[in-house]
Amino acid sequence: MDSNTKKVLWDLAGKAGLILGLISTASMAIGQMIAILETPVLLNTLIGTVLWAAETGGCIYFMYMFMKKFAATCPEADNRMTFKMGTATAFLSALVYSTASFANLAFISADYYSTQYQILMEQMAPMMDSNTAATMEKILSDMPQISFVSNLIYCFIFGTVVSAVLSRNIPDRNPFNRHTTEQ
């Protein structure tokens, strides 16, 4: 892979990663706002499901479009190079979303999550001993870091799998095209 192709790969991966990360971040923010409105459980579940489907479908669609754009921009790109571009996009979008999730838990909505956690602890208190309660308190203090790492891993793996599936046909595999160029 020449340096121009690498430059195009990282340029497109950076743009795609930012867009995909912002889509997931917007979905997280909308879901949180809906939860704060205290809508009925059934409506909340329905809206959450539609939001999740739109986020997932949108991310897959945009990943596909950026991978196609990479293949069109770099005619020498093969399926392996397209997969690398998709993997870079997956990592960068996971980094954007994980950072936003960390900021949300640690700073932006820290009071909201702390209140929700305290309500949960009050409900669970009769079933817990002192060691379990202490462990749960420790988990609360580490939740932003746990969220960052777990989201980073999950989103990267999900994006890599999507990239692997999509890159199999980007650029298009035309067995007749290869045959005519060999003659």
Side-chain angles (χ1 to χ4, degrees):
M1 185 178 339
D2 65 358
S3 64
N4 189 41
T5 304
K6 285 182 183 178
K7 182 180 178 194
V8 170
L9 183 145
W10 282 104
D11 182 52
L12 278 174
K15 290 175 185 173
L18 182 62
I19 289 171
L20 296 177
L22 290 176
I23 289 171
S24 295
T25 300
S27 177
M28 174 185 64
I30 292 168
Q32 186 174 330
M33 283 188 274
I34 291 170
I36 291 172
L37 293 177
E38 298 179 11
T39 57
V41 174
L42 183 61
L43 182 61
N44 198 4
T45 302
L46 179 64
I47 292 171
T49 302
V50 169
L51 188 63
W52 172 83
E55 172 195 2
T56 303
C59 285
I60 292 170
Y61 174 76
F62 280 113
M63 174 77 88
Y64 175 77
M65 295 307 294
F66 275 105
M67 291 171 77
K68 290 285 277 189
K69 184 174 182 178
F70 173 72
T73 304
C74 298
E76 70 278 3
D78 59 0
N79 302 99
R80 185 178 52 84
M81 290 170 59
T82 306
F83 173 69
K84 284 183 180 181
M85 185 272 182
T87 302
T89 298
F91 175 73
L92 295 172
S93 67
L95 190 60
V96 169
Y97 176 70
S98 298
T99 302
S101 177
F102 174 84
N104 186 41
L105 284 169
F107 307 111
I108 299 168
S109 301
D111 292 339
Y112 171 76
Y113 287 110
S114 180
T115 302
Q116 294 299 314
Y117 187 78
Q118 293 306 323
I119 291 170
L120 177 67
M121 289 299 290
E122 288 172 10
Q123 292 173 350
M124 302 285 290
M127 296 179 271
M128 293 189 292
D129 63 4
S130 61
N131 290 334
T132 305
T135 302
M136 295 298 284
E137 286 296 326
K138 173 98 171 88
I139 288 174
L140 176 63
S141 66
D142 294 338
M143 192 54 73
Q145 295 87 341
I146 292 169
S147 172
F148 178 84
V149 172
S150 62
N151 281 325
L152 186 67
I153 292 168
Y154 170 76
C155 292
F156 177 66
I157 290 171
F158 180 81
T160 300
V161 169
V162 168
S163 176
V165 171
L166 295 176
S167 69
R168 293 186 51 79
N169 293 313
I170 303 174
D172 295 329
R173 288 189 196 180
N174 184 350
F176 301 108
N177 190 17
R178 180 177 32 176
H179 180 66
T180 56
T181 57
E182 291 174 357
Q183 291 182 349

